[in-house]
Amino acid sequence: MRYLANLLLGVLFAIGLGISGMTQPAKVLGFLDVFGAWDPALMFVMGGAVVVNFVGFRLAVGRPHPLLAARFDLPTRRDLDWQLVTGAALFGVGWGLAGFCPGPALAALASGSADVMLFVAAMFVGFVLKDLLVRPAAPALPPAGAALGS
Amino acid sequence: MIEPGSIPAAAMGGGLIGLAAALMLALNGRVLGVSGIAAGMVAAGTPLSDRAFRGLFLVGVVLGGLAIGALFPQAMPGAITSNHLVLGVAGLVVGFGTRLGGGCTSGHGVCGLARLSTRSLVATGTFMVTGILTVFIIRHVLGGLP
């Protein structure tokens, strides 16, 4: 059941990405171009998503456990470290270069574009390289938090 | 018919993204972070059942993309450039950076901000700033992508 839920959540998430404009790199770059012809539309994506999730999050964690799992598995780290800031900074550079963050890039595979496939393949190489080159920061993330809680 | 990427569509699509993230928590008890879910597929030591769980979400994302592409072809234009060096470097730093920073636009942006996480606020502010700076340099200093 939780497997089916995950599949359907992926579909819902991607439909949201597509309607919102996040799968159009030109829209994303227009949003990031605050010193040029700024396109504010994508501000409303983050706004809509955070508002709905803010309410939903509070309704969900008020329950004793998730509907399809034994317990909640949420990130617990609160410290700020160089990996967080450096990683986010690097991610922003790639985002500004191609106009894709991970979710929209995966959804955009549906376009059948070989260019999108190249971006996604390089992204997976990046995931593996990080694991090969950088040890997890101490205190280590709990396994599920490290994997999904990010 | 709504126009994907217009302001009303952006707010509506954002609402659906937030709904998916809230349901992920309510149903599976997890944060919806795409880079984390995807990276777990290629991380050493991920159990097979966990790989299947993650893989189904990713399959769902592509299926949702196909549905959107069928309804709104303009929402699926592909990549911004065909320059393979730019796409390769961009994909590489997005993958490496999101793992080093522990999240991307969904995990840190949508979920972290809704959880009022300081780490996610710092991460989101950081990738917004470097994204804006990158676009500034490309468009207004270099005069466009090569």
Side-chain angles (χ1 to χ4, degrees), chain A:
Chain A
M1 191 60 195
R2 53 194 284 272
Y3 287 82
L4 177 64
N6 234 22
L7 179 75
L8 297 177
L9 286 172
V11 173
L12 177 66
F13 179 70
I15 288 175
L17 290 174
I19 291 175
S20 69
M22 291 293 291
T23 53
Q24 301 175 54
K27 290 287 296 184
V28 174
L29 297 179
F31 169 64
L32 292 173
D33 190 11
V34 294
F35 300 109
W38 187 51
D39 177 357
L42 296 194
M43 208 167 52
F44 293 84
V45 182
M46 188 62 94
V50 171
V51 167
V52 171
N53 193 29
F54 184 85
V55 176
F57 177 82
R58 269 146 195 82
L59 291 175
V61 291
R63 305 180 61 87
H65 62 83
L67 288 171
L68 303 176
R71 60 192 165 81
F72 289 103
D73 206 348
L74 293 170
T76 52
R77 285 184 65 181
R78 306 182 65 88
D79 59 307
L80 302 176
D81 64 340
W82 72 269
Q83 294 194 0
L84 178 82
V85 176
T86 310
L90 284 172
F91 163 46
V93 171
W95 196 33
L97 271 174
F100 276 140
C101 50
L106 288 164
L109 286 174
S111 69
S113 154
D115 295 330
V116 177
M117 291 178 202
L118 172 66
F119 177 91
V120 170
M123 182 174 84
F124 275 93
V125 171
F127 293 153
V128 174
L129 270 182
K130 186 269 164 188
D131 286 346
L132 291 176
L133 297 178
V134 188
R135 292 163 173 277
L141 291 166
L148 263 180
S150 47

Side-chain angles (χ1 to χ4, degrees), chain A residues 46 85 88-89 92 95, chain B residues 108-109 113 118-132:
Chain A
M46 188 62 94
V85 176
W95 196 33
Chain B
H108 277 315
L113 296 188
T118 310
R119 278 175 60 85
S120 292
L121 184 65
V122 169
T124 304
T126 303
F127 66 64
M128 289 296 306
V129 167
T130 58
I132 287 167

Side-chain angles (χ1 to χ4, degrees), chain B residues 49-60:
Chain B
S49 62
D50 194 34
R51 258 180 234 267
F53 185 68
R54 293 158 184 275
L56 279 169
F57 177 84
L58 301 179
V59 168

